[in-house]
Each structure stands twice: as structure tokens, then as C-alpha cells.
Amino acid sequence: MEPVLRSPLRDQIRQAVLDGLINGRWKPGDRLVERRMAAELSVSQAPVREALRELEALRLIESAPNKGARVRRLTRSDLREVYQVRAGLEETAVRLGRPSVEALRTHLGRLHEAAAAGSLHDQVRQGVAFHREIVKASGNDVLLSVWESLGIEVWTHLSIRLFRMRPHENAADHEPLVEAFERNDPGVGALLREHVLGYAPAEPGDTLWIASKT
């Protein structure tokens, strides 16, 4: 891992750990030792601990007294459950209010640019911004807070890296949504729900990462 140089440290450490989980730096059952990670990243243990707690809340790692943190098992069911909740929240948001089509087109343009540049990080960031625009338009702060608490960017990153390897495909998937909002399609809520669920595995149950050691 490269040393972390800029703040906020917690977010950068979380991303570093996430990248390590996906690229095989850490495997299921591996311990995530705070002191060792802090030394590798040239930071104190406090922000490492905070980042690990966030990832535990997202069910990517697990911890136990006197055993520390370990990478947990991630199944297709885990991914699908997150997307089922997210899909329901976004469909509800559309019933409460409609987003600005102009704002969506701006986000879509940036998403296409990120895809053309082959930047996974920017593609995830712009894709999440696109969907946040929809949720914010509901005018319901509680709904937005619950949506953000799901860790949308983290799970989107995982889904694209694990299931959607072609960057242009993700950008193109958002075109029908903008068109549906533009023509004020009454079925846009259902279209949005299916769009979100399209990023989840079709059949739950298969393990993506090997079960963690006990």
C-alpha cells in the first residue's frame, strides 16, 4: 500500500482497505492488524480503527474480542440485499419528487467522460452523484440519510469491479433513465428500481469470497 498523504485520512484508509480486499491483498480469514496497517500507511492507529469500524458496519469485515478484525465472507446474497433496499429507497424518492433533467444530464456527461477515460474511481463517484441527485430531489432528508448510510459508493465499487468490467456499459445504462425523466414517464420509478437491481447478482447464494476462518 502507498502511504496516505492527504486528508480526510479515514476515507483514504477505507478506500485503501477496500482496494486490498478486491485485488487480493487480503483474503477471507486474513487478520487486519491496526498497528501494521498504520505503519504501512504512515498514519496513527486511530484513523485506521475508524475506517475498519465503517467497513465492519458495511459487513465487509468482522471482529471479535481478543481476535481483532478479519475479512468476512461476502456472498451474492449480501450484495443483493443491499441493492434490494437501495432500489426500494430510490423508487420511493421518485414518488416524492422528480429531479432536474438538466442536472441528471450533467452527471451523465461526467459519467461518460469517466468511462471514456477508463477511470473506475471517477465512474463510481459520478454514478453515485447521479443517483444522489434523484434521492435528494425527494425533499426527504430522512430518506437521503438512510440511502447514504448504505455505503452506496463502496457497494457500487464492488459490484462494478466484480460483475461489470466494461466501463462504457455502466454509463450507457443511465441513458434510459434520463430519457424517462425527460418525458415524465409515469413508469420511471419501476424503471429505476430495475436499473438498480441490475447491478446485483441475479441469483443469490454463491460465495464470491471464500468463507473466513473461525
Side-chain angles (χ1 to χ4, degrees), residues 44-111:
S44 68
Q45 288 183 233
V48 173
R49 187 176 303 117
E50 291 176 0
L52 292 179
R53 284 175 179 169
E54 288 189 5
L55 292 173
E56 183 174 8
L58 292 172
R59 300 182 299 149
L60 296 175
I61 65 173
E62 57 190 0
S63 62
N66 303 318
K67 293 184 178 180
R70 292 180 182 270
V71 179
R72 71 176 289 271
R73 174 173 58 187
L74 176 65
T75 68
R76 294 181 182 273
S77 293
D78 289 319
L79 284 168
R80 188 156 187 82
E81 287 174 6
V82 170
Y83 278 99
Q84 286 172 336
V85 173
R86 176 185 168 183
L89 292 173
E90 294 194 21
E91 185 178 20
T92 299
V94 170
R95 290 201 298 268
L96 296 175
R98 296 297 175 92
S100 161
V101 173
E102 182 178 355
L104 291 182
R105 287 205 174 278
T106 297
H107 290 303
L108 181 59
R110 293 170 181 168
L111 182 56

Side-chain angles (χ1 to χ4, degrees), residues 183-197:
R183 64 175 180 269
N184 200 25
D185 190 330
V188 69
L191 181 64
L192 178 60
R193 182 186 67 242
E194 294 306 312
H195 165 86
V196 172
L197 290 176

Side-chain angles (χ1 to χ4, degrees), residues 15 18 21 26 37 51 61 87-88 107 113 126 142-143 183 200-201 211:
Q15 188 61 51
L18 178 61
L21 295 177
W26 292 289
M37 294 172 65
I61 65 173
H107 290 303
E113 291 173 1
Q126 296 301 337
V142 174
L143 178 61
R183 64 175 180 269

Side-chain angles (χ1 to χ4, degrees), residues 86 90 93 99 104 107 111 124-137 144 147 152 156 170 173-174 177 192 195-196 199:
R86 176 185 168 183
E90 294 194 21
L104 291 182
H107 290 303
L111 182 56
V124 170
R125 184 165 56 86
Q126 296 301 337
V128 171
F130 178 99
H131 285 271
R132 182 179 287 109
E133 190 73 39
I134 294 173
V135 179
K136 282 178 60 178
L144 177 61
W147 183 86
I152 300 298
T156 301
N170 176 251
D173 283 349
H174 292 74
L177 290 173
L192 178 60
H195 165 86
V196 172
Y199 287 88

Side-chain angles (χ1 to χ4, degrees), residues 1 16-27 161 209:
M1 295 185 293
V17 175
L18 178 61
D19 289 342
L21 295 177
I22 294 173
N23 65 29
R25 166 67 172 79
W26 292 289
K27 296 181 173 57
R161 290 284 289 269
W209 293 343

